[in-house]
Amino acid sequence: MKKHKALALFDFDGTITTEDCYTKFIFFATPKARLYIGYFLVLPIIALYKLGILPANKTRPILSKVAFWRRTENEVVEKARQYVEYVLPPLIRQEVLNKIKWHQTMDHDVYVVSASINPYLSIWCRQIGINLLCSELECIDGEYTGNYILGDCSGVNKVKLLEMQINPSEYEHIYAYGDTEEDMAMLSIADTRFYQGNKIT
């Protein structure tokens, strides 16, 4: 069977962007009253995270639950649209965006594989014309439950979610770009790997 040409996998926060856009979106999209109440609810969680006791992949689902539980999809998507239009542009690394465009011109299949969430990532990826795998918020009857459908898209789960959609072995060559330990499982399946902007072996 003839193999596909190439696959390019990009982490988002810290790789395509200059900083953590998940947390920035939480603050941008959450009403102030909920932020104030939620802050006291999650303060112990944040403390455990900063102490290195609670990993990021356990922290994010809790923060998302507090931020999006019983929020309407229309409300959150509108905030996501504003976020993509006004907040994201200066945070995008131009050199990485150029690399994405290069992969596109080479007719490679390009995916963002991110632990961040779908409301804003789906809009951004659609605008750029690339595929998306990420932590997806559950929405029932137009209202978010705050839960993730398939868990936090980080670590080994990045590879598991990828393999649910495509078969990486069907590609002649795989490129992967990441910037934290949460990306190492994804980098491990690649032939050409970039970590924090540097090519690694």
Side-chain angles (χ1 to χ4, degrees):
M1 185 174 67
K2 190 178 186 300
K3 289 194 171 186
H4 301 294
K5 198 168 191 178
L7 173 67
L9 308 171
F10 287 83
D11 169 57
F12 192 76
D13 286 10
T15 300
I16 294 176
T17 66
T18 56
E19 60 182 88
D20 168 21
C21 293
Y22 164 79
T23 303
K24 189 177 281 287
F25 180 67
I26 292 288
F27 280 99
F28 181 86
T30 307
K32 287 184 179 179
R34 184 180 285 235
L35 272 180
Y36 293 141
I37 296 169
Y39 177 78
F40 292 103
L41 290 175
V42 302
L43 192 57
I45 303 300
I46 295 171
L48 291 173
Y49 168 71
K50 290 190 176 294
L51 289 170
I53 298 171
L54 192 67
N57 68 330
K58 302 295 184 186
T59 304
R60 282 186 296 262
I62 297 170
L63 297 180
S64 293
K65 182 79 171 183
V66 172
F68 300 108
W69 176 67
R70 300 191 72 176
R71 302 272 304 282
T72 67
E73 183 179 22
N74 288 342
E75 175 197 1
V76 174
V77 169
E78 175 57 24
K79 295 299 289 186
R81 186 196 63 75
Q82 295 171 16
Y83 186 74
V84 169
E85 183 174 356
Y86 299 111
V87 181
L88 270 189
L91 305 180
I92 302 296
R93 297 181 191 271
Q94 187 59 47
E95 68 274 17
V96 181
L97 188 58
N98 290 341
K99 182 65 73 172
I100 290 173
K101 291 177 179 177
W102 175 80
H103 282 293
Q104 290 176 310
T105 62
M106 298 299 290
D107 200 28
H108 297 167
D109 289 344
V110 184
Y111 281 78
V112 162
V113 187
S114 173
S116 198
I117 51 180
N118 60 299
Y120 74 90
L121 279 181
S122 60
I123 296 172
W124 188 83
C125 287
R126 190 163 56 247
Q127 288 180 354
I128 303 301
I130 55 180
N131 303 292
L132 172 65
L133 287 170
C134 67
S135 302
E136 189 172 353
L137 292 174
E138 181 182 55
C139 189
I140 298 176
D141 296 330
E143 190 173 84
Y144 288 111
T145 66
N147 298 324
Y148 286 176
I149 294 175
L150 294 171
D152 189 78
C153 185
S154 62
V156 296
N157 208 30
K158 286 197 172 193
V159 178
K160 288 180 181 178
L161 294 179
L162 182 68
E163 290 175 341
M164 288 174 65
Q165 288 211 8
I166 61 173
N167 183 356
S169 66
E170 292 181 352
Y171 288 87
E172 291 180 358
H173 197 93
I174 299 176
Y175 299 82
Y177 303 79
D179 76 306
T180 69
E181 286 295 316
E182 292 189 333
D183 301 316
M184 296 311 290
M186 181 178 74
L187 294 177
S188 73
I189 68 169
D191 304 292
T192 301
R193 310 172 180 91
F194 291 88
Y195 185 74
Q196 296 181 354
N198 299 309
K199 190 175 180 180
I200 61 173
T201 56

